[in-house]
Amino acid sequence: MISLARPARLTPGARVAVVAPSGPVPEDRLEAGLDILRGWDLDPVVMPHVLDTHREFGYLAGADADRARDLERAWCDASVAAVFCARGGYGVQRMVDLVDWAAMRAATRTAGPKVFLGYSDVTSLHEAFATRLGTVTLHGPMTAAADFLKNAHAQEHLRTTLFTPEAAQVITARGRAKALVGGRARGVTLGGCVSLLAAELGTTGARASARGGLLCLEDIGEEAYRLDRSLTQLLRAGLLEGVTGIALGSWEQCGPHDELRALFADRLGGLGVPMVEEFGFGHCDGALTVPFGVPGQLDADAGTLTLDVPALA
């Protein structure tokens, strides 16, 4: 694990492209999210296929190729400073290999990296941006996601990260954070949904190792046995060998917390690294924005992640 290239922070008037790489986007929620961005003095532009729905599969936001083209066009547009995902759901794995990554690398070399924001199904794109573009990404609230629209804390932490990232350099867990394994660990942040990280194994451009990484994990709607399966797959594949620390986020609709705590101790405790639960990122109210690809220190006892440098330059 090495630190990745940091995009520039946003400034008032910055143009922000909104894409839908996964599930279909409710128009009313999209408009509400755009209004929030405009209130931040950003200039959001919606890519052509954001409001599409796949002709056969209603769980997809349009055709795979169209979703891939929207992402490419947004990233390669020199006037765009950031690319925000509208929502998660499912669909990134269907389109990620249709993206012209060579064109996106060329655009990155020419103009530098842009801010890329999303979470949930977007985990697969966080991984792709890390391995194929070498750029820092933001795991945080999405433009048309209900938890973003309704929660001022999620909005404010994202806004701070985007505009004054040095003020968000110490990320403090929200709520009832508790060390499952105490101690401090240094490394480079990475992670996302457990189920998506497991699904990435063996795919084109997949990360070969998370050695030296501070692993941030969360998920939604995965029962304990399915989380067990995904974690076991990551362990068996050797991806977690050398991970230096673990922060556990939200586990919405994943079952009783005591059962999940026992599962994490069983599957991850053997790594012998500091591990903190209920950190407050992912599918939860007031979700924190966590950058991936930035070096820092996790203090499991204090419930803090302190970045060596701001997430954005």
Side-chain angles (χ1 to χ4, degrees), residues 26 120 132:
S120 194
R132 304 189 197 208

Side-chain angles (χ1 to χ4, degrees), residues 100-208:
D100 188 342
W101 291 102
M104 290 179 63
R105 281 193 295 272
T108 305
R109 286 194 297 269
T110 300
K114 306 176 191 291
V115 175
F116 178 75
L117 170 71
Y119 75 103
S120 194
D121 188 56
V122 180
T123 295
S124 296
L125 285 175
H126 285 297
E127 287 292 282
F129 274 67
T131 61
R132 304 189 197 208
L133 299 183
T135 65
V136 166
T137 56
L138 299 181
H139 182 281
M142 295 176 285
T143 304
D147 51 354
F148 171 63
L149 300 177
K150 297 177 181 178
N151 195 286
H153 189 278
Q155 295 172 18
E156 189 54 37
H157 193 254
L158 173 60
R159 183 179 182 178
T160 299
T161 302
L162 293 173
F163 289 97
T164 54
E166 62 278 355
Q169 203 165 331
V170 178
I171 303 172
T172 302
R174 301 194 68 224
R176 301 171 296 174
K178 177 182 178 182
L180 298 183
V181 180
R184 298 177 181 176
R186 295 196 55 79
V188 177
T189 55
L190 78 157
C193 277
V194 171
S195 55
L196 271 299
L197 292 173
E200 282 294 300
L201 293 173
T203 61
T204 302
R207 190 190 302 270

Side-chain angles (χ1 to χ4, degrees), residues 221-244:
E222 297 288 335
E223 295 181 48
Y225 80 91
R226 294 206 297 253
L227 290 173
D228 187 322
R229 179 172 59 202
S230 293
L231 290 170
T232 299
Q233 186 175 0
L234 294 173
L235 289 166
R236 293 182 66 207
L239 185 75
L240 305 188
E241 292 179 7
V243 165
T244 61

